[in-house]
Amino acid sequence: MSSAIDKVSAQIDANRAGVIQRLADAVAIPSVSGDAAHRPQVIQMAQWMAKSLEGVGCENIKFKELGKQTLDGQEVSLPPVVFADYREGKADAKKTVLVYGHYDVQPALKSDGWNTEPFKLEYDEKTGRLYGRGSTDDKGPVIGWINMLEAHRQAGVELPVNLKFVFEGMEESGSVGLDELIAHEHAQGSFFKGVDACCISDNYWLGTKKPCLTHGLRGVAYFKLHISGPAADLHSGLFGGVVHEPMTDLFAIMSKLVTPQGDILIPGIKELVTPLTDEEFKRYQVMDFSVQDMEGATGSKTTIADDKEKILMARMRYPSLSLHGIEGAFSEAGTKTVIPAKIVGKFSLRLVPDMTPAKVNELVEAYINAEWKKLGSKNTLRLEAEHGGKPWLADPNHWNYEAAAKAVQKIYGVAPDYTREGGSIPVALTFAETLGKNLLLLPLGRADDGAHSTNEKIDVSNYVEGSKLLGAYLHEIAAATA
Amino acid sequence: MSSAIDKVSAQIDANRAGVIQRLADAVAIPSVSGDAAHRPQVIQMAQWMAKSLEGVGCENIKFKELGKQTLDGQEVSLPPVVFADYREGKADAKKTVLVYGHYDVQPALKSDGWNTEPFKLEYDEKTGRLYGRGSTDDKGPVIGWINMLEAHRQAGVELPVNLKFVFEGMEESGSVGLDELIAHEHAQGSFFKGVDACCISDNYWLGTKKPCLTHGLRGVAYFKLHISGPAADLHSGLFGGVVHEPMTDLFAIMSKLVTPQGDILIPGIKELVTPLTDEEFKRYQVMDFSVQDMEGATGSKTTIADDKEKILMARMRYPSLSLHGIEGAFSEAGTKTVIPAKIVGKFSLRLVPDMTPAKVNELVEAYINAEWKKLGSKNTLRLEAEHGGKPWLADPNHWNYEAAAKAVQKIYGVAPDYTREGGSIPVALTFAETLGKNLLLLPLGRADDGAHSTNEKIDVSNYVEGSKLLGAYLHEIAAATA
């Protein structure tokens, strides 16, 4: 097996100029899904994907159409989800891995602050970086799979697993229609049939030096706290001190949700959190991360904890509660003396196992109702639970992760960090829940790649070694499950 | 004297059609000071004022020019302040009363929700109301002085006091330049020389039935609480629980300023408030006001106190603290999961004797600094004290008030309420402080006149009886100070 991986890796090295050109070709198509004017380019990118997949031996390539949407005031076609199979040899005896990625990108204008043309891949030899919109999010990783397949064929190495590709073109714009498509296809039992594990390469290393495998995501529960009283906004001169002010009530309630140290004050929340094990704690200890990394990321010395493990656990394995703002209050510059009559306070919790939006809603509602009664206000309160998303946690001891870890060791010479992310990747939860299979997040890029920002980049080493890593991962799966 | 008042009143009754027409002529000039396109009409209204004052025997009429301003992107002339004297007979032996009013109005469009053309005075015979922009704020009261002078001359009754008129055209737009003009004229010692008392008719009865004399206004101290932490807004998924969030800190601090029952929690504030006397408490007991009036005014049952006196005292004689809003937080519709990095919380206190902005600033700063230390946050706090205005309180036992009370009794057959207002009228404070003379607020209109709103009105009885009241007031001054 090692020899097979080496051959493929050597071939990728030999193809270095070609794989960079392939990424350049993809970056040159401005597949911005959020802008109706760019919709033809998004669809052009879908065609480019299909052609590239076909070129490296994929079969059963299909455009799954999602219908139309209204965007920027016009009705436009949704870009298709591209399905493809890769099978060769005794395919029925092999494991099958479902791979998800997206071929659309965030908007970018040079005038936003880019140093180079965003839709022209620029290689900076001094830094070894490839700049361009989509270089790391998510064209680089998506093309990594194509590079890997190409190298197998050129090197005459058979791929020891089957692949099923799902590449969408709406990820940066809410993945419109994707959940329904996955549910529909799963119910039909055709394309997703036989999938043994899933892999998504659409996140980032924790830092800039050490690869990681990501096996968890926090969920979210978002709340709107409506407080209303007077029929219309009042003048604080005429009515200050006379009426119960909705703002005073809102501050009283929302100040009782979380402490400045981040401790959630809602009874029952902490009890839902899965206890920390020694095995898990060790993962934080070995992670390539420092207090200074966090200070760099926030541009400030406002980190609550003073040690690495606590910071990592605060992001990855504990819930949090953030106050986002108030709708209906005075929010402009200046000094208006208004008593807002009807306001909506907004806050959300990030959820970790075993919290669910349903359980959290129950606890939040009970607590807020109890605190509200204590206030003795004549105003009216209504709590609205908005969208919720469950947390996701995969078993990092599954063969899917073991194979990826061995591949990292093989390509990078180090054991990967096992990270969890603080945010949400809804499609990961959708695949994991719908298919009921182990899912691996296998990032290729680094923390400082600047996805969604100006001057997005992928280091050429991450791109090239990453392409090798994807191949090695599949060989290690075959070995681990042989 | 009673005979003189009766003669003048009878003359005003005889002039009823004429005084209504005079108000109609004034309302027909859309002297909207806040709109550059209407500036010529504001200046036209100044000319109308000068001509009207001249027509009833005023002399020494001057346009005090205030220079230029930039409004709606264009440089326009500020409307002049109109000065005028009224003196006759043995003027040097008479008391001199300074009268302030304004001839500009708020904007109004029929499409805002007016039932009639806002700049065409409409008399509704059924309700006895005169509808039109400026009818009550402040053209009606200002013209009341002119009606009263006209009636004196027609009835052959000598005015027993001297008058000095100051009518401005920028009251609805910040009184630009007025304070400086008053200070300058006072320093020069010319126009304001010899003023014994001041009278402003630019506020309203407490309710709709009983006239009042207003002898106090609350001041204001406005604060901006700046809290900053991270260099830029952060994603709550990635950073929630990791950093000290400025919003959490802001809610912690601002929730400690005032209770839902309106009690100010800043130590030392309550101690500054002048104690309540029996004499003052009796004023609240007799006031024409009910809990239902307040519920009508706020369109809600959110009044903190359940009895009339407490409600009135909360508005008139006690300080209040209102939270207005947050600049820099998420304030739009929707569900953004942002950790705002730099926010400004805004709140203000209404001040009563013996609070001053300076003393209040000191107490607020000390308290917030102490509370901030308790939080243990690594974020940065800065308190900014914005504009402050002192409270104003006049002696209601002064002859200026005694005369007005007798005039109310004479014209309306009731003793007036002695009210204080919760808001500020900066020009009242300016006159009272600059001239050092007793100042009376003598409202003609009712609480429900809808100044600044659609369908602004003055009841024809308030307008006609009010014109009589102004004359009676001046005769009572002469009698009281003879």
Side-chain angles (χ1 to χ4, degrees), chain A residues 218 220 222 224 228-232 234-245 247-252 254-255 258-262 294 297-306 311 314-315 318-340 346 348 350 375-379 386-387 421-424, chain B residues 218 220 222 224 228-232 234-245 247-252 254-255 258-262 294 297-306 311 314-315 318-340 346 348 350 375-379 386-387 421-424:
Chain A
R218 294 199 288 189
V220 68
Y222 201 105
K224 291 182 180 174
S228 58
L234 299 176
H235 187 283
S236 70
L238 297 178
F239 296 96
V242 175
V243 295
H244 289 282
E245 302 188 13
M247 284 287 278
T248 307
D249 295 345
L250 186 80
F251 274 76
M254 284 179 62
S255 67
V258 61
T259 71
Q261 281 65 40
M294 184 52 77
T298 69
S300 68
K301 289 185 180 289
T302 59
T303 313
I304 295 170
D306 290 323
I311 292 171
R315 167 180 285 187
Y318 287 113
S320 63
L321 192 154
S322 297
L323 312 179
H324 306 301
I326 308 171
E327 187 182 340
F330 174 51
S331 62
E332 285 140 69
T335 56
K336 198 171 170 186
T337 52
V338 66
I339 297 174
K346 299 183 184 176
S348 69
R350 293 287 162 173
L375 293 192
S377 171
K378 294 178 185 168
N379 291 321
E386 285 289 323
H387 69 262
E421 292 213 351
S424 309
Chain B
R218 293 199 289 189
V220 66
Y222 201 105
K224 292 182 178 174
S228 59
L234 300 175
H235 188 283
S236 70
L238 297 177
F239 296 97
V242 174
V243 295
H244 289 282
E245 302 188 13
M247 284 286 278
T248 308
D249 295 345
L250 185 79
F251 274 76
M254 283 178 62
S255 67
V258 62
T259 71
Q261 280 64 39
M294 183 54 77
T298 69
S300 68
K301 290 185 180 289
T302 59
T303 313
I304 295 170
D306 290 323
I311 293 171
R315 166 180 286 186
Y318 287 114
S320 64
L321 193 154
S322 297
L323 312 179
H324 306 300
I326 307 172
E327 186 182 340
F330 174 50
S331 63
E332 284 139 71
T335 57
K336 197 171 173 188
T337 53
V338 66
I339 298 175
K346 299 182 185 175
S348 69
R350 293 286 162 173
L375 293 192
S377 170
K378 293 178 185 168
N379 290 322
E386 284 289 323
H387 69 264
E421 291 213 351
S424 309

Side-chain angles (χ1 to χ4, degrees), chain B residues 72-86:
Chain B
D72 304 336
Q74 32 180 315
E75 193 181 56
V76 292
S77 292
L78 285 162
V81 178
V82 181
F83 278 14
D85 277 310
Y86 188 90

Side-chain angles (χ1 to χ4, degrees), chain B residues 273-338:
Chain B
V273 179
T274 307
L276 180 68
T277 63
D278 287 347
E279 181 197 345
E280 187 190 335
F281 187 70
K282 278 175 196 148
R283 287 189 207 123
Y284 302 113
Q285 287 182 304
V286 300
M287 276 186 205
D288 172 33
F289 197 76
S290 69
V291 178
Q292 289 69 35
D293 287 339
M294 183 54 77
E295 291 176 350
T298 69
S300 68
K301 290 185 180 289
T302 59
T303 313
I304 295 170
D306 290 323
D307 70 75
K308 182 181 98 171
E309 291 79 10
K310 280 186 187 158
I311 293 171
L312 290 169
M313 290 192 292
R315 166 180 286 186
M316 297 179 180
R317 68 115 44 228
Y318 287 114
S320 64
L321 193 154
S322 297
L323 312 179
H324 306 300
I326 307 172
E327 186 182 340
F330 174 50
S331 63
E332 284 139 71
T335 57
K336 197 171 173 188
T337 53
V338 66

